[in-house]
Amino acid sequence: MNKTQKEAYQSGRELKEHEAQLLDKIILKFANDTISMLDIGCADGLFCRHLSKALPKSSITGIDISEKFISQAKSHNHSNCKFLPGNAESF
Protein backbone atom coordinates (compact mmCIF):
# COMPACT_ATOMS: atom_id res chain seq x y z
CA MET A 1 0.00 0.00 0.00
CA ASN A 2 1.44 3.36 -0.95
CA LYS A 3 1.41 6.56 1.10
CA THR A 4 -1.67 7.99 -0.65
CA GLN A 5 -3.66 4.83 0.03
CA LYS A 6 -2.63 4.83 3.70
CA GLU A 7 -3.67 8.48 4.09
CA ALA A 8 -7.08 7.68 2.59
CA TYR A 9 -7.81 5.33 5.50
CA GLN A 10 -6.58 7.27 8.51
CA SER A 11 -8.66 6.75 11.64
CA GLY A 12 -11.32 9.36 12.19
CA ARG A 13 -11.95 9.80 8.49
CA GLU A 14 -15.37 10.42 6.99
CA LEU A 15 -16.96 8.41 4.21
CA LYS A 16 -15.68 9.32 0.77
CA GLU A 17 -18.23 10.76 -1.65
CA HIS A 18 -18.60 7.54 -3.65
CA GLU A 19 -19.01 5.53 -0.43
CA ALA A 20 -21.74 7.88 0.83
CA GLN A 21 -23.57 7.67 -2.49
CA LEU A 22 -23.45 3.87 -2.50
CA LEU A 23 -24.56 3.75 1.14
CA ASP A 24 -27.59 5.93 0.33
CA LYS A 25 -28.58 3.64 -2.57
CA ILE A 26 -28.27 0.49 -0.45
CA ILE A 27 -30.28 2.02 2.40
CA LEU A 28 -33.06 3.15 0.04
CA LYS A 29 -33.29 -0.27 -1.55
CA PHE A 30 -33.06 -2.40 1.61
CA ALA A 31 -34.37 -0.11 4.39
CA ASN A 32 -37.10 -2.55 5.44
CA ASP A 33 -35.27 -5.78 4.69
CA THR A 34 -32.88 -8.06 6.50
CA ILE A 35 -29.90 -8.72 4.25
CA SER A 36 -26.46 -10.27 4.36
CA MET A 37 -23.74 -8.21 2.73
CA LEU A 38 -20.07 -8.85 2.02
CA ASP A 39 -17.65 -5.93 1.66
CA ILE A 40 -14.54 -7.15 -0.13
CA GLY A 41 -11.59 -4.89 0.64
CA CYS A 42 -13.33 -3.33 3.63
CA ALA A 43 -10.16 -1.59 4.87
CA ASP A 44 -10.90 -0.04 8.28
CA GLY A 45 -14.56 -1.11 8.14
CA LEU A 46 -16.01 2.40 8.08
CA PHE A 47 -18.49 1.63 5.28
CA CYS A 48 -19.59 -1.57 7.04
CA ARG A 49 -20.11 0.31 10.30
CA HIS A 50 -22.30 2.93 8.63
CA LEU A 51 -24.26 0.19 6.90
CA SER A 52 -24.71 -1.75 10.14
CA LYS A 53 -26.14 1.32 11.89
CA ALA A 54 -28.57 1.98 9.03
CA LEU A 55 -29.63 -1.68 8.69
CA PRO A 56 -29.42 -3.04 12.25
CA LYS A 57 -31.29 -6.30 11.45
CA SER A 58 -28.84 -7.16 8.70
CA SER A 59 -25.57 -9.08 8.80
CA ILE A 60 -22.50 -7.31 7.44
CA THR A 61 -19.17 -9.06 6.80
CA GLY A 62 -16.01 -7.26 5.76
CA ILE A 63 -12.82 -8.88 4.51
CA ASP A 64 -9.47 -7.31 3.86
CA ILE A 65 -5.98 -8.61 3.20
CA SER A 66 -4.53 -6.19 5.76
CA GLU A 67 -4.50 -7.55 9.33
CA LYS A 68 -3.98 -3.97 10.55
CA PHE A 69 -7.20 -2.78 8.91
CA ILE A 70 -9.13 -5.79 10.20
CA SER A 71 -7.86 -5.07 13.72
CA GLN A 72 -9.03 -1.45 13.41
CA ALA A 73 -12.41 -2.56 12.06
CA LYS A 74 -12.94 -5.06 14.90
CA SER A 75 -12.12 -2.46 17.53
CA HIS A 76 -15.45 -0.70 16.87
CA ASN A 77 -17.46 -3.78 17.90
CA HIS A 78 -20.81 -3.63 16.10
CA SER A 79 -23.00 -6.63 16.91
CA ASN A 80 -24.17 -7.17 13.32
CA CYS A 81 -20.70 -6.75 11.76
CA LYS A 82 -17.87 -9.22 11.54
CA PHE A 83 -14.47 -8.67 9.99
CA LEU A 84 -12.19 -11.35 8.61
CA PRO A 85 -8.62 -11.15 7.36
CA GLY A 86 -8.07 -12.73 4.00
CA ASN A 87 -7.52 -12.48 0.30
CA ALA A 88 -10.79 -12.23 -1.65
CA GLU A 89 -9.40 -14.57 -4.29
CA SER A 90 -9.29 -17.39 -1.74
CA PHE A 91 -12.90 -17.07 -0.56
Side-chain angles (χ1 to χ4, degrees):
M1 180 175 298
N2 65 38
K3 184 179 177 184
T4 305
Q5 290 170 317
K6 288 179 185 176
E7 290 169 354
Y9 293 102
Q10 296 300 315
S11 65
R13 73 178 181 91
E14 296 294 321
L15 284 176
K16 296 175 188 171
E17 184 177 344
H18 72 278
E19 291 172 315
Q21 290 172 353
L22 179 59
L23 183 67
D24 288 344
K25 288 178 182 179
I26 292 169
I27 292 169
L28 283 173
K29 182 165 183 148
F30 299 107
N32 299 314
D33 298 331
T34 300
I35 62 170
S36 294
M37 180 168 284
L38 175 63
D39 182 359
I40 298 172
C42 69
D44 59 1
L46 181 64
F47 183 81
C48 292
R49 293 193 308 272
H50 278 273
L51 195 57
S52 76
K53 288 177 189 175
L55 304 172
K57 294 185 242 172
S58 295
S59 175
I60 315 299
T61 301
I63 64 169
D64 200 279
I65 200 164
S66 168
E67 299 261 351
K68 180 181 176 186
F69 280 148
I70 291 299
S71 179
Q72 287 175 349
K74 286 180 175 180
S75 72
H76 296 281
N77 197 21
H78 288 269
S79 62
N80 61 332
C81 274
K82 67 180 175 181
F83 297 98
L84 307 169
N87 184 333
E89 292 178 350
S90 27
F91 275 81

